[in-house]
Amino acid sequence: MDIVKKVWAYSFKVEKGNASSLVVNLIVWVVAAFLAGLVLWLATAITGWIPVIGALVGIIVGLVGGIIELYSLIGIVLSVLVFVDVIKE
């Protein structure tokens, strides 16, 4: 559990029973995932017209985007679990 607390430290800043703390935490996770997706989309848009490099960048961006989405999803789930006091600190 220590590794989880180190990797998703922001999820454990939710106060148990405080709904506004949970909402702020969830908004931060969603906005962070959106901004990362926007940056990745921009990288794809800039290099997409180059035949070989564009394809490679597209594959890499797809993998990185999937990892970021998974990271954000796990962060959201951990935030909710900390809020409802399923995960003890």
Side-chain angles (χ1 to χ4, degrees):
M1 190 62 139
D2 292 333
I3 294 173
V4 173
K5 286 183 180 180
K6 287 180 184 175
V7 174
W8 287 279
Y10 190 70
S11 293
F12 290 93
K13 294 185 181 199
V14 173
E15 299 172 9
K16 295 169 181 58
N18 187 355
S20 63
S21 172
L22 176 66
V23 170
V24 168
N25 197 295
L26 295 179
I27 288 172
V28 167
W29 278 115
V30 170
V31 168
F34 175 76
L35 290 176
L38 192 64
V39 169
L40 292 174
W41 173 80
L42 185 61
T44 304
I46 290 172
T47 61
W49 61 274
I50 304 170
V52 175
I53 295 175
L56 291 174
V57 169
I59 292 170
I60 293 169
V61 165
L63 291 172
V64 171
I67 291 170
I68 289 172
E69 289 175 5
L70 182 63
Y71 180 80
S72 297
L73 178 65
I74 292 171
I76 289 170
V77 169
L78 286 174
S79 297
V80 171
L81 290 176
V82 168
F83 173 74
V84 295
D85 204 22
V86 172
I87 298 177
K88 308 288 186 210
E89 288 189 46

